[in-house]
Amino acid sequence: MNAKAVQFLKQYFGYEMFRKGQNDIVEKVLEGKHTLGIMPTGGGKSICYQVPALIYTGITIVVSPLISLMKDQVDGLNQLGITSTYINSSLSISELNERLDNMRNGEYKLIYVAPERLEDERFFRLLNEMPISLVAIDEAHCLSQWGHDFRPSYLKISSLIRRLQTNPVVLALTATATPQVREDICRHLHIEDENTIVNGARRENLSLQVVKGQDKLSYVLQYLKKHQASSGIIYASTRKVVDQLYEKLTEKGIAVGRYHAGLTDQERAKYQNDFIRDNITVMVATNAFGMGIDKSNVRFVLHYNLPRNIEAYYQEAGRAGRDGEESECVLLFAPDDIRIQKFLIEQSDIEETRRTNEYKKLQQMVDYCHTESCLQQYIGQYFADDEFEKCNKCTNCLDDGETTDVTREAQMVFSTIKRMREKFGKTIVAQVLVGSESKKVKDFKLDQLSTYGLLKTWTGKNVSQFIDYLTAEQFLKPSEGNFPTLRLTEKAVAVLKGELQVYRKEKVQHVTIEENNEIFESLRKLRKEIADQEKVPPYLIFSDKTLREMSRTIPASTEELLVVNGVGRQKLEKYGAKFLDALVPFQDQKGETPIIKTKKTSSKVPSHLVTYEMYEQGITVNEMAEKRECTRETILSHLEKCYDEGKEVDLRQFVNERHEQLIEEVIASIGAERLKPIKENLPDEVTYFEIRYVINKRIGQI
Ligand code: ADP
């Protein structure tokens, strides 16, 4: 790697080394090659052009779609002592003229511009008189109409660049690009295939969660209560939902802001500023919010509604944890949201082929909510990025297969719906099942159905949630319209016939991100004071990650402070003394074990693998059950899972030969469709594990 690049990285930005993708991209750019860099949000795309900008003798132009992003970036660079500016429609005439004069005088190393600005002939002529070495195109996916954020003005960029007489190097950057979008970008910008650096979309610090069948508002309230000290964004699909949620959360005394296209510019700017400056902790917003927000300490992103596709989802969710700290992305799924998205697709003014494509993408988004495999891997496959390993911290990975068989309850629901001739909605089906005496139930004589009151030990809400779950799992299909009635799908019919079983996973334990630490809090307070004085967002002073490292290492001198990731010369000079002063009272804690406890689920090994480790050490099933404080049956189910995943396990040794014979006999007389009747026809000591083993052997899976 170019020694100067490494030196500048430390000197200006305070970072010891380039991250993997940055390294490759910076190298290509410095070799003068047009390059496409794909890096996840928070991966550090800016460095990829900021460091070369310092090395190249000429100027770097950064084309970026959003005004707020430019301001943040430019403020940040000027803080680091790198002269830069932005030119966009937010400037007054006199500001613009001043900046153009400075440009002529060669005062800037980096100039951020909106794509439309390049089309302004006068501005372009001025640019063309200047020594431009590099053009960086941020959010390059806007160039493709197969992307999720197509902007026609982006299409003109390539011909404009070609008119520049200095023949600058072009660097296109994006976080989210499917293979189709990548191809488009390369074709337009004449980037060779070999100069595409894909650094994966994987975000190791994000734990992805899908929550289904829950009352969304209570979920959000509970969630916020648990994460009071953290900053987060809640995305909703319409202005109306944003407003309602904003009102509800404000009523509960939560410091919340809102953002959508229906607010005035001043309102939006105020809320955004409050959020960035940590005056409020939660922002409720439509997807209008965020593309230009560079706030690094967003600890969670909740999606109150289903986004329209995976690219949009991953980009929005990816606004959590830009600083690399553990963060959560929770998608609250409700089947109704699919209808809203379909409606929006139907209403949009796009060509038919794009519309079909949008439907396909929506279906992939819905599948994300239904998949039982690793959510990170699902996203990896979507972006054709096979570097994704199982994340071990998403909803599905954490659910170590301990599912409950709810076939019988599902059959009750389905046969009730069938008996009600598929003419009623969720609420009344639930009322029938719990045996409600409501007027409607009586009027329609539904209390005379044989399934009336079959789930009378449940609450109506639980049954409704169960129906939501069955709908999400596509056993039920609500009709279109405002009062959807429930219909059975083929899957439900198979369940009624006993051909298919229904399992429901247990609720997921959520990761708690603990941020309350005395040292961290006091540094955070100091950062906020400085930020308020300088009228910049706190994270531009130092990121959460940097403060955390300071509170862990408790530096006592400028040398020690300089070692902290994110502390460069410039910031050391400006803020070093203040932070060292703030750390003085804590010096006696130095060297103690770290006080910050961020529970990292990444270290949580799935339960069945813990069992497997013990199995490999030759520990018996009974001993394992005792050690792990669970039943023998659970241990065996873990080993079964390991076997299914391709690990070497000799399941045969746990099956009693006489039991095997008995099971074969029962299956011969009553069939193997359902486990429960088989079990009931056998002596108690025959286990479910043994029954499953025999069945799997019969169908050749063992
Ligand atoms: P992106 O634009 O890809 O979303 P940013 O350029 O905003 O990401 O960078 C994300 C975070 O990572 C920022 O806080 C940035 O300062 C930090 N960062 C970037 N490169 C490095 C590096 N080499 N070492 C440590 N931190 C880095």
Side-chain angles (χ1 to χ4, degrees), residues 410-423:
Q411 285 170 333
M412 292 173 187
V413 174
F414 301 153
S415 76
T416 304
I417 293 172
K418 208 168 159 202
R419 275 159 223 270
M420 291 165 79
R421 297 178 193 283
E422 301 183 318
K423 287 203 169 105

Side-chain angles (χ1 to χ4, degrees), residues 472-600:
E473 294 297 323
Q474 299 182 335
F475 291 102
L476 298 174
K477 187 173 186 300
S479 63
E480 310 287 317
N482 271 347
F483 303 101
T485 55
L486 293 172
R487 293 190 202 136
L488 307 189
T489 64
E490 276 176 23
K491 263 176 92 179
V493 176
V495 174
L496 279 174
K497 285 189 190 154
E499 292 166 0
L500 188 67
Q501 280 167 310
V502 184
Y503 294 97
R504 195 175 187 188
K505 290 193 170 175
E506 279 164 22
K507 284 203 187 112
V508 185
Q509 290 296 313
H510 291 288
V511 193
T512 358
I513 299 147
E514 294 174 27
E515 286 202 338
N516 298 322
N517 161 267
E518 205 191 340
I519 311 179
F520 180 72
E521 282 309 322
S522 100
L523 297 181
R524 201 152 86 135
K525 232 173 102 198
L526 171 62
R527 176 178 70 175
K528 176 88 176 96
E529 280 165 22
I530 300 175
D532 286 346
Q533 273 163 20
E534 297 194 8
K535 298 198 171 43
V536 294
Y539 61 80
L540 281 188
I541 310 292
F542 284 127
S543 71
D544 273 15
K545 200 183 171 96
T546 302
L547 292 196
R548 236 186 223 115
E549 198 177 322
M550 281 187 205
S551 55
R552 246 184 324 251
T553 54
I554 321 181
S557 62
T558 46
E559 287 73 30
E560 283 180 21
L561 195 56
L562 203 54
V563 176
V564 174
N565 215 0
V567 184
R569 287 260 160 228
Q570 185 86 12
K571 289 201 175 170
L572 182 77
E573 261 167 45
K574 270 175 126 169
Y575 313 119
K578 286 186 180 157
F579 279 84
L580 285 173
D581 276 355
L583 286 164
V584 169
F586 303 107
Q587 287 303 330
D588 55 340
Q589 291 182 25
K590 203 166 173 148
E592 287 178 11
T593 39
I595 313 133
I596 302 221
K597 289 176 246 135
T598 305
K599 267 196 223 157
K600 289 199 176 168

Side-chain angles (χ1 to χ4, degrees), residues 15 17-19 22 40-47 294 322:
Y15 302 137
M17 51 185 180
F18 284 106
R19 292 173 178 161
Q22 288 175 334
T41 313
K45 285 186 282 298
S46 330
I47 293 282
D294 203 7
R322 274 166 165 266

